[in-house]
Amino acid sequence: MSTATGEARPSIDLKRGLSTALDFGVASHRRAVALLVTFSLLVFLPGFFQIPPVDRDEARFAQATKQMLETSEYVDIRFQTEVRYKKPVGIYWLQAAAVKAAETLGVPQARTSIWPYRLPSLAGAIFAVLLTYWAALAFIPRRAALLAALMMASCVLLGVEARLAKTDAMLLLSSVAAMGAFARIYLASHREPPAKIGWQEPAILWTAIAAGVLLKGPLILMFVGLSAITLCIVDRSPRWLLSLRPVTGLVWLLLLVSPWFLAIMTKSGASFVVQSIGHDLVDKVTSGQETHGAPPGFYLLLFWVTFWPGAVLAGLAAPIVWKSRHEPGARFLLAWLLPSWLVFEVVMTKLPHYVLPLYPAIAILIAGILAPHGQSRQRWMVRGTVGWLLFPAAIAIGALVLFIVFGRDLGLIAWPFSALAVIFGLFAWWLYAVDGAERSLLRALVASVFVAITVYAVTFPLLPPLFPSAMIADEIRATDCERPHVASTFAFQEPSLVFLLGTETRFTDGVGAADFLRSKACHFALIDSRSERSFVQRAESVGLRYSLVRRVEGYNISAGKPVSLTIFRSQAS
């Protein structure tokens, strides 16, 4: 593509435009933060306010928080009458604070709107991106650190977690904070002569570990502990561990986490330990909990999608990273990544978000070799950059299929955004050999913004059948009942229904639904086809008067099944 022929001019113009933004961020830490926050918002905000509560985890977390607000009980964790001791209280407190703040600011229906519950996840994702930049500065120059943080911001998996009211974005924040502080301590102790380590890094390390424990139990201890053990083995010396201030740190950790653990054990007795350790942790290790089992290699296969667009460079970077494994920085990052990754591959229960706290290490490793070394030029590896095109192309096709299947139209409104995602992905791949990895990555980052708009801001919000609970709630709220009460039969008993329609929402069978309608006016029953016969028979036998509100057709994403429900309403005698 000779400049003399004019063929390269379009790529040069585009290259300059994207590089200018990066150059702006590299000029100072303040500008880097501004760039990262702006880009994170561009990627995370599409669909944040529009997408209804998602089953099942998000709706369970949000409903448990809502019940805390309703009962002013901030120690015990419950979903309806069922105790919920699988996770500690950290995320519930954060969500409750966010909803309280929304109510104070006058946000209408804050408790039954899902987006205030998502605010801690959004904040966690943004600060995790900023902390990736901070952690990366311990290993690589500012420009590379900025690229590592941008890779995390554009990462598909983090984009999902930023929009869900659950623990994982905040766990990522605490994990990056802990590992960034840990890295500074480790690298300082391995300089010649060893640098003096104050109290700031150990304080960040142990405080972040405490936050992680309150969010998701002992998982963060695995990341830090396995990294420390691996480094001690490789270094053939544990002496540097004293720089972590382990005795003081453990005391500080216990001071931070023990009050709630003591309070919940006082209230629940052994139930908390039995459920959180026995039923949750052990079951995940020994069996595929809740049908989420998968063989080893699952996370490696999924990585190429969940870490897109940065994953496209992972194969190209791997040979150089491996050659650099004896350098202290690369050694630490590999110790952060590999031991915990292997544990996750061996554990029977597998969910995509489990490995998210390991992705910053990958981003830093990739960014670290962009400038000084370049990537592998082996032809078969370079061909892998076509992934920058294939993913947005698959998203464009997938969005079209969803619109045809669930919306009965072509979804023309999504086409401009998906087309722009494909175009930027095409140029990222096509001009890789001309402009290099950094500029191709920048184009892929822009593609990720348009992918987010296509999926989250356009496709999901415009396909109501994907969210049956929201459709049902809209139908019931459109009636003249101020405080409706709902019962649902076997085909649809999802937490999102409880969150949207009230803690008293009941799950029952056809006979129970008929009896439920007898009790009072403004009662509604959601009857699936299997339960209709028993419902009608019971209604006739007791002389129940009821009316048809509407039949709702949708698709239960969490169960992977279509949903067909008839909404009946009680009538006054």
Side-chain angles (χ1 to χ4, degrees), residues 381-451:
M381 285 189 171
V382 172
R383 286 175 179 171
T385 57
V386 73
W388 278 323
L389 170 63
L390 293 180
F391 183 79
I395 291 295
I397 295 170
L400 176 61
V401 170
L402 287 174
F403 272 107
I404 292 173
V405 173
F406 297 106
R408 302 294 189 266
D409 64 46
L410 296 177
L412 296 178
I413 192 172
W415 287 20
F417 304 106
S418 60
L420 286 168
V422 170
I423 290 169
F424 276 96
L426 171 64
F427 279 111
W429 164 58
W430 188 25
L431 299 176
Y432 173 81
V434 177
D435 291 336
E438 180 185 289
R439 294 186 179 106
S440 289
L441 177 61
L442 292 177
R443 295 179 182 116
L445 295 176
V446 178
S448 72
V449 175
F450 289 110
V451 165

Side-chain angles (χ1 to χ4, degrees), residues 39 44 64 142 166 169 219 266 311 323 378 399 414 419:
F39 182 77
F44 298 152
R142 185 183 298 173
K166 48 202 282 284
L219 196 57
T266 300
K323 288 179 182 178
Q378 295 185 42

Side-chain angles (χ1 to χ4, degrees), residues 218-232:
L219 196 57
I220 192 170
L221 294 172
M222 183 185 81
F223 302 141
V224 176
L226 288 181
S227 301
I229 292 170
T230 302
L231 291 169
C232 287

Side-chain angles (χ1 to χ4, degrees), residues 151-175:
M151 274 188 268
M152 280 303 301
S154 61
C155 160
V156 169
L157 184 54
L158 184 55
V160 172
E161 295 302 330
R163 294 173 173 85
L164 293 177
K166 48 202 282 284
T167 58
D168 296 284
M170 289 300 300
L171 177 65
L172 174 65
L173 183 158
S174 59
S175 298

